[in-house]
Every structure is written in C-alpha cells, then in structure tokens.
Amino acid sequence: MTECIFCGIAAGEIPAQIVADDPEFLAFRDIAPKAPVHIVVIPRRHVASLAAAADLPEAVRARMPVFLAEVAELEGLGPTGYRVVTNHGPDSRQSVFHLHWHVLGGTLLSDAM
Ligand code: DGP
C-alpha cells in the first residue's frame, strides 16, 4: 500500500467516488466538501504540489487546464461557474502532498478565499 493517500486512490487501493478518469488524471469527490460540488483533480503521477509541476511531462502540464474544464462541465458547472484552487505549503494549509486542484461550485461561492 502506498503512503500517499491520493496515489492510493489512483491505484484503486483507497475507495473514492470517481467522477472522471483519464490515463494521466483522476477526478473524485472531496471527502469533506466545502461546496455542493467539490471535486479533487490529481495527476496520476506523484508530485508534491504545483511547485513541482515542472517535473511532470509537458503533455501532462498542457492537458491540466483542459481536464479541469472537462470535469467542471461534466459536473454541470459551466453555465453557473466554478472556482479552481490549488494549495502549496503551510500558509495555504495544504494537507495532502500530492498535487491536486479543488473544483468548487454549485452555489454562489464566498468572495473570501
Ligand atoms: P488540501 O488542503 O489542498 O491539501 O486538500 C486536500 C483535500 O483532500 C481536502 O479537501 C480533503 C481531501 N481528502 C483528504 N483525504 C481524502 C480521502 O481519503 N478521500 C477523498 N475523497 N478526499 C480526501
């Protein structure tokens, strides 16, 4: 069993509610949602945060925003809008050290980050 929770989810070792699957990315519902729709999107390949994104292949980096938009559309968030956030380091309160984005929507989101 891998020590990284998100690697465990990507490997199918830890259960999660998967919403989109791709050879390079995975999207699943956050275990503690902060909005009516709260999806976590990860690259399957482990890097700790956005600060290490340069370690991902160029093709993966190029597809990141496209996959994020596809997930938001799949969840029906396109017409009303959504927020995409990633955390890096202590000030951001990053708690899982595998690069991920939060896709949030389904309500009028707070203007306080
Ligand atoms: P961050 O604070 O940016 O590192 O966000 C980590 C998110 O991951 C947090 O919103 C909760 C979510 N999370 C943590 N563990 C699990 C898990 O085992 N399953 C799922 N689905 N989400 C998890």
Side-chain angles (χ1 to χ4, degrees):
M1 170 91 66
T2 171
E3 283 181 23
C4 168
I5 293 169
F6 289 173
C7 285
I9 290 174
E13 295 167 352
I14 297 171
Q17 282 186 270
I18 309 295
V19 300
D21 204 344
D22 179 277
E24 298 292 352
F25 296 97
L26 191 64
F28 51 89
R29 298 199 189 283
D30 195 287
I31 203 167
K34 305 282 193 306
V37 178
H38 185 169
I39 309 298
V40 175
V41 176
I42 63 166
R44 288 181 174 278
R45 186 185 294 232
H46 182 99
V47 294
S49 77
L50 190 64
D55 295 341
L56 293 169
E58 171 58 31
V60 174
R61 283 183 273 147
R63 183 151 163 66
M64 275 178 188
V66 177
F67 187 76
L68 285 161
E70 287 173 0
V71 167
E73 287 297 328
L74 206 61
E75 288 293 306
L77 299 176
T80 47
Y82 52 90
R83 182 175 292 158
V84 177
V85 177
T86 190
N87 291 320
H88 165 73
D91 277 1
S92 74
R93 300 178 184 269
Q94 182 181 6
S95 62
V96 177
F97 295 89
H98 180 132
L99 172 60
H100 57 282
W101 296 267
H102 301 264
V103 179
L104 300 148
T107 190
L108 182 61
L109 297 167
S110 166
D111 60 1
M113 282 299 291

